[in-house]
Amino acid sequence: MHVNPIKKQVTQIIPNKLLIFKKISAGFLPLLLIPIISKFYNLNLPLKWLIIIISVYSVILLGYQLLYFRSLRLSFSEEFILKNSGVWENKQQYLEIWKLQAVSISQPLWYRKKNLVTLTFHSAGGDVSFELIDRNKAESLMDYVLYKIESTSRGWM
């Protein structure tokens, strides 16, 4: 167990603001089900109640997604990568660079115009992804991590 693995922080990467738009858009999809459910079960909800339900849901959704976006950070030092996330509890995922098995970059078709990618770190403990970051930052981080993996003399186990 490491007390404070990231003592000297080299850099910090935050996702593009398009991520918050993506999360909020996906969160509003359940609102499309209200008319379908209302029609199917013959619910005759007054317009006033529909507006109240939609308003409360929207405020909760927007607040939660804003807090989540503000907590999302990828930091790295010479030996560790740290991913911060979470709203109710602060989730920190530490990756020891010398224990990584691979680093990959993927770019879906809809990210190309904005030059955004998803960076994924592969290790024996599982994959850690960080999406919607600038391609240039992701490539420089990938080059740095791969250099550190190849140049270390530490044993993996």
Side-chain angles (χ1 to χ4, degrees), residues 98-131:
W98 66 91
K99 289 189 176 184
L100 291 176
Q101 296 173 334
V103 181
S104 62
I105 292 178
S106 61
Q107 186 180 42
L109 181 65
W110 46 92
Y111 289 177
R112 288 188 185 155
K113 187 177 180 182
K114 300 248 184 221
N115 202 29
L116 299 172
V117 297
T118 298
L119 183 64
T120 304
F121 301 100
H122 307 278
S123 70
D127 297 343
V128 175
S129 294
F130 199 76
E131 64 177 332

Side-chain angles (χ1 to χ4, degrees), residues 46-111:
L47 182 62
K48 180 173 104 176
W49 282 105
L50 281 175
I51 292 173
I52 290 172
I53 291 170
I54 291 171
S55 299
V56 169
Y57 179 82
S58 299
V59 167
I60 292 171
L61 174 71
L62 291 172
Y64 181 84
Q65 293 302 336
L66 285 171
L67 289 172
Y68 178 76
F69 181 77
R70 290 183 68 206
S71 72
L72 208 51
R73 299 276 182 269
L74 185 68
S75 308
F76 65 96
S77 67
E78 290 189 28
E79 296 182 2
F80 291 93
I81 296 172
L82 170 65
K83 179 183 176 186
N84 285 321
S85 62
V87 174
W88 307 121
E89 61 180 333
N90 188 17
K91 184 177 179 182
Q92 295 181 330
Q93 294 175 290
Y94 289 95
L95 298 168
E96 298 166 314
I97 291 177
W98 66 91
K99 289 189 176 184
L100 291 176
Q101 296 173 334
V103 181
S104 62
I105 292 178
S106 61
Q107 186 180 42
L109 181 65
W110 46 92
Y111 289 177

